[in-house]
Amino acid sequence: MGCVGVCVLLETDSPLCLSLSICPSVTQDGVSYEVRRYDACKYVCLSLEGRSFDQVSGELQRRLLTYMSGGNEQGEIMNTPVPVIFTVFPRDDGSLNRRLVAALRIPLSFQISPPTPTDTSIRIEDRPGMTVYVLQFGGFAGESEFRAEASRLTCTLGDSAPFQRKQYLCCSYDPPIKPYGRRNEVWFLQDEP
């Protein structure tokens, strides 16, 4: 990929888990992407099946934010981390299965002992560290925009990068009320050896 050196960056938007940018920016076929490494940490997660991404993503995000805003047994209010991470499962034709997992990283100060959710469908997960190929884009993003950017990243990476094809992550950094300067990302999980 032509990367020189290693750059460590602690994301200011998300001071929860260390992000190691292995290759800060790669441009291939006119498309720029990053390779990042995230440490293992705890996430608050919620899953739904049977409806489309656009039908349920807002609901899942609101329920996770309720947990972070004190909707937990301890009444703890936590700084809300970004991004909201949606795990999606593409079919062979690129369309998405009607299964969606939404997650937020638990803030560092609550990693050892996260508050207990009052919503029984919300769970706390220990997720392993991950290396991801990241494509950033702007605007309001729904299923069609995430699918288009995932397709663009797939074409850009081709066979040159080992990544998981059965799932990918759709990341949203901004609240729905932010009209300009929005940040979204598609993350492909690198296949670990």
Side-chain angles (χ1 to χ4, degrees):
M1 291 191 293
C3 299
V4 179
V6 174
C7 169
V8 175
L9 100 113
L10 188 58
E11 293 189 350
T12 56
D13 290 331
S14 186
L16 308 169
C17 300
L18 180 65
S19 166
L20 174 67
S21 186
I22 296 170
C23 189
S25 184
V26 176
T27 301
Q28 187 172 318
D29 299 326
V31 177
S32 292
Y33 66 92
E34 295 176 56
V35 181
R36 294 186 200 146
R37 176 80 190 158
Y38 289 94
D39 287 342
C41 62
K42 288 181 172 56
Y43 289 76
V44 58
C45 303
L46 181 60
S47 302
L48 277 178
E49 293 189 32
R51 295 187 290 169
S52 72
F53 180 96
D54 292 337
Q55 291 172 327
V56 300
S57 57
E59 175 188 341
L60 293 175
Q61 186 171 354
R62 279 187 299 281
R63 289 170 66 188
L64 290 176
L65 292 174
T66 298
Y67 166 80
M68 301 296 285
S69 301
N72 52 67
E73 287 184 10
Q74 292 78 6
E76 292 284 355
I77 297 173
M78 298 170 270
N79 290 332
T80 302
V82 290
V84 177
I85 302 169
F86 296 99
T87 304
V88 297
F89 305 89
R91 296 183 179 117
D92 290 338
D93 66 359
S95 65
L96 301 180
N97 281 321
R98 296 196 176 254
R99 177 177 163 218
L100 187 64
V101 180
L104 285 168
R105 285 180 281 180
I106 300 286
L108 186 59
S109 58
F110 294 95
Q111 278 289 312
I112 293 173
S113 182
T116 306
T118 53
D119 180 337
T120 57
S121 60
I122 291 177
R123 65 192 182 284
I124 306 298
E125 280 185 8
D126 282 303
R127 290 191 175 182
M130 62 184 165
T131 301
V132 291
Y133 300 98
V134 179
L135 180 63
Q136 184 176 327
F137 63 101
F140 284 93
E143 180 175 334
S144 62
E145 291 79 13
F146 280 116
R147 284 179 53 199
E149 296 302 319
S151 177
R152 203 161 72 110
L153 185 55
T154 299
C155 291
T156 300
L157 294 174
D159 294 328
S160 68
F163 63 93
Q164 295 179 20
R165 297 176 189 271
K166 294 183 188 231
Q167 67 179 354
Y168 61 88
L169 308 175
C170 302
C171 302
S172 180
Y173 284 79
D174 301 300
I177 59 172
K178 184 178 179 184
Y180 304 105
R182 298 182 63 79
R183 177 181 172 190
N184 308 292
E185 294 176 344
V186 171
W187 294 359
F188 286 178
L189 295 161
Q190 183 182 64
D191 272 335
E192 301 292 338

